[in-house]
């Protein structure tokens, strides 16, 4: 039966080639969307690593270079906000969550070099964010006056740089070693992975340094505030008024972490929804095309089908032949599409299309295309099964 179907497809290779090309193209389009969906879903399932509920991010801009006066105002601002009755915690941060800002560098230890993001956070910020300390301690006032910068790193970076030993007490070399003011980074703690940019961001290596607000030299772009009344417009206005009183030259903007998280999610899901809608229309058009081609094919094969009926072929056998022929044609198109798609994770052309995403995308696309082809062949197959020997005699 299989050999017979292959022969039938080969005998009509010109018309079947167009169907196979259409199926292959449709498979690749749906594969791309499916692989991205699997990739994003996999990321979404991983822990975020910090608390965003009841959090506010205050963006501060001073309109120029950071001065010692700005540093003094930053210290005063953090102290003043912490003194507010409705504020549970306030701290300074170089780059706040969900903003998309980050600084990346290379870090080296004992011949191992890795890429990593680095950030600064003032005292108390780790606990307020809800970061989980795995070993060691957080940075704090006890680190003032040391000849090195104390840092805490995330678990992924600890495993990458220190695969066979503890990270605590080790010095990692940042890229500023050629700078006369170079200072080693000494690891004093390891915390759980922290995806600062949201659920759809990859977890990477992360270095958290202390932001010494008392030094008045280190810049911060964000002041984080956690409060049970974070959604209160009155509280937000009080925060703005307090900051404007302390630093009248600053431009401030307050955003809810929950709203920022929702925006980050929308930035990913909205394009995916649009692409899925386009793919849906493509599937409908492909379905109509396959249905029309099969219907025309059945009409042209009236003589063949009627002759088979005259030789004793059962209607069910004719029906199954048409459906199986379409399924086999679809399988050929899918095989070509899978061969093309599998090159992406092998070559690493698109980092987000890893093996998990690629296999998921191929399964989704194959299931949709194969189901569509079989569905489109059901009615033409039924028409073919109704052909009678008399129709074959009258055909042409």
């Amino acid at each position: 039966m299989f050999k017979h179907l292959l022969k039938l497809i080969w005998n009509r290779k010109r018309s079947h080639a167009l169907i196979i090309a259409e199926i292959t193209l449709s498979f690749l389009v749906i594969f791309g969307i499916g692989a991205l969906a699997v990739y994003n879903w996999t990321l979404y399932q991983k822990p975020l690593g910090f608390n965003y509920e009841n959090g506010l991010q205050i963006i501060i801009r001073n309109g120029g270079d950071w001065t010692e006066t700005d540093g003094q105002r930053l210290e005063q601002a953090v102290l003043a906000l912490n003194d507010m009755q409705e504020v549970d915690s306030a701290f300074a941060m170089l780059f706040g969550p969900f903003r998309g800002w980050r600084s990346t560098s290379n870090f080296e230890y004992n011949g191992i070099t890795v890429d990593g993001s680095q950030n600064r956070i003032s005292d108390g910020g780790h606990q307020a964010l809800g970061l989980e300390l795995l070993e060691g301690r957080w940075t704090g006032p006890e680190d003032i006056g040391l000849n090195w910068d104390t840092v805490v790193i995330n678990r992924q970076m600890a495993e990458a740089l220190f695969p066979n030993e503890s990270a605590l007490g080790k010095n990692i070399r940042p890229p500023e070693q050629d700078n006369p003011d170079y200072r080693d980074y000494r690891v004093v703690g390891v915390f759980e992975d922290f995806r600062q940019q949201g659920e759809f961001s990859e977890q990477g290596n992360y270095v958290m340094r202390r932001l010494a607000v008392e030094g008045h030299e280190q810049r911060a772009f964000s002041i984080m505030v956690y409060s049970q009344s974070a959604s209160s417009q009155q509280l937000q206005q009080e925060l703005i008024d307090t900051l404007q009183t302390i630093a009248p030259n600053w431009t401030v903007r307050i955003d809810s972490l929950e709203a920022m998280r929702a925006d980050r999610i929308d930035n990913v899901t909205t394009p995916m929804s649009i692409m899925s809608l386009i793919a849906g229309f493509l599937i409908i058009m492909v379905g109509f095309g396959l249905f029309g081609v099969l219907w025309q094919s059945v009409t042209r094969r009236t003589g063949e089908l009627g002759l088979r009926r005259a030789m004793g072929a059962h209607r069910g056998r004719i029906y199954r032949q048409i459906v199986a022929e379409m399924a086999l044609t679809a399988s050929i198109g899918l095989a070509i599409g899978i061969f093309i798609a599998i090159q992406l994770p092998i070559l690493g052309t698109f980092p987000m299309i890893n093996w998990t995403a690629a296999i998921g995308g191929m399964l989704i696309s194959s299931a949709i295309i194969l189901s569509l082809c079989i569905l489109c062949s059901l009615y033409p197959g039924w028409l073919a099964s109704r052909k009678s020997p008399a129709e074959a005699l009258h055909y042409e």
Side-chain angles (χ1 to χ4, degrees):
M1 180 66 175
F2 180 77
K3 184 177 180 181
H4 175 68
L5 290 176
L6 282 177
K7 187 175 181 180
L8 289 175
I9 293 173
W10 177 255
N11 290 338
R12 299 181 181 84
K13 52 183 174 292
R14 180 173 296 180
S15 60
H16 280 96
L18 295 176
I19 296 176
I20 291 172
E22 187 176 19
I23 290 172
T24 301
L25 179 61
S26 302
F27 169 86
L28 292 175
V29 172
I30 300 173
F31 162 77
I33 298 174
L36 288 177
V38 171
Y39 170 77
N40 287 320
W41 177 252
T42 303
L43 289 178
Y44 189 81
Q45 297 304 304
K46 297 178 180 179
L48 191 58
F50 68 97
N51 298 327
Y52 58 85
E53 296 89 349
N54 301 320
L56 297 173
Q57 183 172 175
I58 306 174
I59 304 301
I60 55 177
R61 294 184 175 89
N62 66 338
D65 294 332
W66 191 259
T67 64
E68 184 177 354
T69 301
D70 289 312
Q72 293 171 350
R73 289 170 175 169
L74 176 64
E75 182 183 18
Q76 295 172 17
V78 172
L79 292 173
L81 296 185
N82 274 306
D83 287 339
M84 294 179 64
Q85 184 175 0
E86 292 185 86
V87 172
D88 299 325
S89 179
F91 56 93
M93 202 168 181
L94 181 60
F95 304 122
F98 303 122
R99 184 61 61 180
W101 302 337
R102 64 175 185 168
S103 173
T104 58
S105 303
N106 296 324
F107 299 93
E108 186 267 338
Y109 172 77
N110 200 23
I112 302 175
T113 302
V114 299
D115 296 329
S117 299
Q118 60 176 324
N119 203 346
R120 288 183 180 269
I121 190 169
S122 65
D123 299 338
H126 311 90
Q127 296 89 334
L129 277 173
L131 303 182
E132 180 184 353
L133 185 65
L134 299 179
E135 57 178 325
R137 64 175 178 87
W138 299 117
T139 55
E142 62 270 30
D143 300 320
I144 298 174
L146 298 178
N147 293 326
W148 54 80
D149 286 342
T150 56
V151 298
V152 288
I153 62 177
N154 70 330
R155 177 174 55 84
Q156 178 172 310
M157 187 169 188
E159 293 174 352
L161 280 178
F162 310 97
N164 302 313
E165 56 184 315
S166 173
L168 299 183
K170 306 298 193 307
N171 286 358
I172 57 177
R173 300 179 65 84
E176 296 87 2
Q177 58 263 34
D178 296 329
N179 190 308
D181 298 325
Y182 162 77
R183 290 161 60 92
D184 276 328
Y185 289 180
R186 179 162 296 183
V187 180
V188 297
V190 177
F191 64 99
E192 186 54 88
D193 291 337
F194 163 54
R195 294 194 292 156
Q196 181 179 341
Q197 307 305 334
E199 281 89 346
F200 293 116
S201 62
E202 282 277 10
Q203 176 58 60
N205 302 314
Y206 206 97
V207 176
M208 193 79 82
R209 303 168 65 188
R210 180 173 183 261
L211 198 161
V213 292
E214 73 281 350
H216 307 151
E217 296 179 355
Q218 297 168 358
R219 180 166 195 161
F221 291 105
S222 304
I223 296 178
M224 307 297 300
V225 174
Y226 280 85
S227 170
Q228 296 298 319
S229 306
S231 60
S232 169
Q233 294 295 322
Q234 181 179 351
L235 173 62
Q236 294 182 21
Q237 187 59 50
E238 290 177 2
L239 294 173
I240 292 176
D241 293 341
T242 300
L243 292 175
Q244 289 295 323
T245 301
I246 296 172
N249 65 315
W250 286 0
T251 300
V252 299
R253 170 183 170 181
I254 295 183
D255 292 308
S256 164
L257 289 184
E258 295 186 37
M260 295 177 70
R261 171 181 175 267
D263 288 341
R264 298 287 290 188
I265 291 176
D266 287 343
N267 288 340
V268 174
T269 57
T270 299
M272 288 294 299
S273 299
I274 295 174
M275 289 189 291
S276 298
L277 186 62
I278 295 173
F281 281 113
L282 174 65
I283 291 172
I284 293 173
M285 297 303 296
V286 170
F288 278 126
L290 292 176
F291 185 83
V293 169
L294 286 173
W295 196 332
Q296 185 181 41
S297 176
V298 168
T299 302
R300 289 180 175 178
R301 296 168 64 182
T302 297
E304 171 200 337
L305 298 173
L307 181 60
R308 290 198 62 193
R309 290 280 292 120
M311 296 178 65
H314 191 270
R315 286 180 176 179
R317 190 178 182 87
I318 300 292
Y319 184 86
R320 289 192 297 271
Q321 175 190 334
I322 298 299
V323 174
E325 188 175 330
M326 187 65 250
L328 182 58
T329 303
S331 298
I332 295 173
L334 292 178
I336 297 173
I338 290 173
F339 176 77
I340 297 173
I342 206 172
Q343 306 306 311
L344 298 180
I346 292 176
L347 299 176
T349 309
F350 301 99
M352 62 182 58
I353 302 184
N354 50 35
W355 280 107
T356 300
I359 292 174
M362 285 187 282
L363 291 175
I364 292 172
S365 185
S366 298
I368 292 175
I369 294 296
L370 196 58
S371 299
L372 176 67
C373 292
I374 293 176
L375 182 64
C376 291
S377 67
L378 295 180
Y379 184 67
W382 180 82
L383 288 178
S385 69
R386 314 309 294 179
K387 297 294 182 181
S388 66
E391 290 182 76
L393 294 174
H394 289 291
Y395 184 72
E396 296 184 351

